[in-house]
Amino acid sequence: MTPHAGHPRSSGSAVRVACRPMADRTQSSIEIAAEPGDVLDVIADFERYPEWAHEVKSATLLTEDGDGWADQVEFRLDAGAIKDHYVLEYDWNVAEDGTGSVSWHLVRATLLKGLNGTYTLDRVADGTRVTYDLEVELTMPMIGLLKRKAEKHIINLALSELKKRVEA
């Protein structure tokens, strides 16, 4: 699988997002009517995130590994009350067909203290199941229930916007 390689697209789908809090993380899944490679191409195209991930105002590739996959990306986020500039470092564990996982962790930020996540892409009969695990830690204290609610909102928004982008 090479970044941004073209793949034939599938059509039609049902929106189904299932959320469940985990011990220290929040997880949701959605099925996208497209091949895993197509989904991975959208995930890997960071500089186009502002076109479809509306709370991301900019995304700049800082470094990439020898295979052309992003290593570090700087983001500018404007999610209403939460505005931040942060850098994420990525780990790509994907197969040629696009299945596998993309994980990230926070390198630096102003408001965020921790941001760890993973997209896991699995082939299913009608396309790809994307599972998103997320753990967010802010520099200001937040009650656990509110933190999980915020993580759930971030995940559901990200998955629905990813689905719309890939299936467009």
Side-chain angles (χ1 to χ4, degrees):
M1 180 76 228
T2 58
H4 316 294
H7 301 281
R9 298 205 182 272
S10 301
S11 61
S13 68
V15 175
R16 184 179 54 172
V17 176
C19 269
R20 62 187 169 109
M22 299 176 70
D24 291 313
R25 303 170 75 92
T26 301
Q27 180 186 81
S28 291
S29 296
I30 194 167
E31 290 191 11
I32 299 177
E35 292 296 315
D38 292 336
V39 177
L40 184 62
D41 287 343
V42 171
I43 291 169
D45 193 1
F46 293 103
E47 293 178 342
R48 297 188 77 168
Y49 273 34
E51 295 175 13
W52 60 272
H54 301 296
E55 294 177 344
V56 175
K57 299 307 173 190
S58 68
T60 306
L61 178 65
L62 299 178
T63 60
E64 61 183 39
D65 68 18
D67 292 334
W69 296 104
D71 187 39
Q72 289 192 358
V73 180
E74 181 176 30
F75 293 89
R76 186 170 59 85
L77 177 74
D78 186 348
I82 299 177
K83 295 174 177 43
D84 203 359
H85 282 85
Y86 57 93
V87 174
L88 298 179
E89 185 167 289
Y90 287 84
D91 180 37
W92 302 86
N93 185 16
V94 293
E96 280 291 317
D97 67 354
T99 58
S101 65
V102 179
S103 300
W104 58 89
H105 68 271
L106 185 67
V107 175
R108 66 179 178 273
T110 52
L111 180 62
L112 295 168
K113 186 175 178 184
L115 181 63
N116 299 304
T118 303
Y119 279 124
T120 302
L121 285 69
D122 294 302
R123 183 178 302 282
V124 293
D126 294 329
T128 306
R129 177 181 306 110
V130 180
T131 303
Y132 187 172
D133 289 294
L134 182 67
E135 181 181 8
V136 177
E137 193 174 345
L138 300 174
T139 54
M140 60 186 165
M142 183 181 276
I143 297 171
L145 180 63
L146 292 176
K147 180 181 170 188
R148 295 293 166 251
K149 187 174 180 177
E151 288 173 348
K152 192 173 175 181
H153 171 75
I154 291 166
I155 288 174
N156 286 337
L157 184 61
L159 287 174
S160 65
E161 288 180 334
L162 176 65
K163 178 179 178 66
K164 280 188 230 173
R165 178 67 173 204
V166 173
E167 292 181 350

